[in-house]
Amino acid sequence: MRKVMVGMFTVMGLALLCSSTEAKPTKKIAKPASSSQPAPPSSSTPTPPPAAEGEWSLAEKQMWIAAQEELDSWMKRANDKCGTKIVGRFDKESFRGLLDPKNGSTGLPGYAGAHCSAGPGALDEICTVVNDNEASAKMARDAVKAKISVIECRWGGKGKSAMSLSDKKLTETIDVDTDNAAGFQDRLKTFIKSKI
């Protein structure tokens, strides 16, 4: 059986070798007909294509870094108070077209930074020892640990403020036009306490 297979491979190899060394006829390639219209003038500065969905300019990427650092500082306070390792993040696509360097280093519109800090701020308050009641604070810390692992801030826009908790992800959809950040944080705190 082995000799048969070796023989087959040898024959196939020779066939391939012979077929690649055969002379092949050459075809003449016709020149394209000359056009009576001149080629369009080339611009010295080409216009870049618009960024595809999911792509961000360098300026926007730098603003997102600043926004994330700000959110991380709020998350650190909440995590220290609650004894957790909850991750804070943005639903960046919901902010598409809203970042502007005129709004500061984060580029976030209006009071969006303060609104996005409402989630970690609410957790900070929930896990705080009130009136020396350590047992109540421990119960709150245990509930937060068990039920929340991510806080995501999403842009909603006017009239679209919302909050949800699903699969250990707390989503806060912000509306800087209607809500003030402190009031939103109070509502978020009440919501979280009712869900954990």
Side-chain angles (χ1 to χ4, degrees):
M1 176 74 157
R2 187 172 180 192
K3 288 181 181 179
V4 171
M5 288 183 70
V6 170
M8 284 176 40
F9 284 123
T10 304
V11 170
M12 288 172 52
L14 286 173
L16 284 172
L17 184 61
C18 291
S19 69
S20 65
T21 57
E22 287 180 14
K24 299 200 180 193
T26 58
K27 291 183 182 176
K28 284 193 171 184
I29 299 174
K31 286 185 185 179
S34 64
S35 172
S36 59
Q37 296 177 344
S42 64
S43 171
S44 61
T45 316
T47 306
E53 186 174 334
E55 292 181 15
W56 297 91
S57 71
L58 175 60
E60 290 169 323
K61 288 176 185 176
Q62 290 171 332
M63 286 184 268
W64 276 125
I65 289 170
Q68 188 62 54
E69 287 172 350
E70 189 175 288
L71 183 58
D72 288 346
S73 70
W74 282 98
M75 288 308 311
K76 182 177 179 345
R77 290 180 211 170
N79 281 323
D80 288 349
K81 190 72 62 89
C82 295
T84 53
K85 293 181 180 177
I86 298 169
V87 174
R89 67 182 184 210
F90 294 91
D91 174 8
K92 291 180 182 176
E93 279 305 314
S94 68
F95 288 87
R96 175 82 51 195
L98 298 174
L99 297 183
D100 188 336
K102 293 176 188 169
N103 297 332
S105 63
T106 66
L108 294 171
Y111 293 100
H115 281 72
C116 288
S117 71
L123 292 182
D124 187 331
E125 288 184 44
I126 289 168
C127 294
T128 298
V129 176
V130 179
N131 298 328
D132 294 323
N133 191 339
E134 178 57 39
S136 177
K138 182 182 180 329
M139 186 177 7
R141 288 191 299 265
D142 290 344
V144 168
K145 265 185 217 178
K147 301 285 185 169
I148 302 174
S149 62
V150 174
I151 297 178
E152 183 174 81
C153 184
R154 177 179 294 165
W155 179 264
K158 190 166 184 143
K160 295 182 181 173
S161 174
M163 48 197 75
S164 65
L165 179 60
S166 176
D167 297 325
K168 298 183 86 174
K169 180 171 93 170
L170 173 65
T171 303
E172 51 178 316
T173 304
I174 64 170
D175 167 10
V176 299
D177 295 321
T178 308
D179 286 328
N180 69 51
F184 184 64
Q185 182 168 315
D186 286 342
R187 287 191 303 120
L188 197 52
K189 182 171 74 172
T190 301
F191 171 79
I192 292 168
K193 286 172 127 180
S194 74
K195 297 296 180 182
I196 62 170

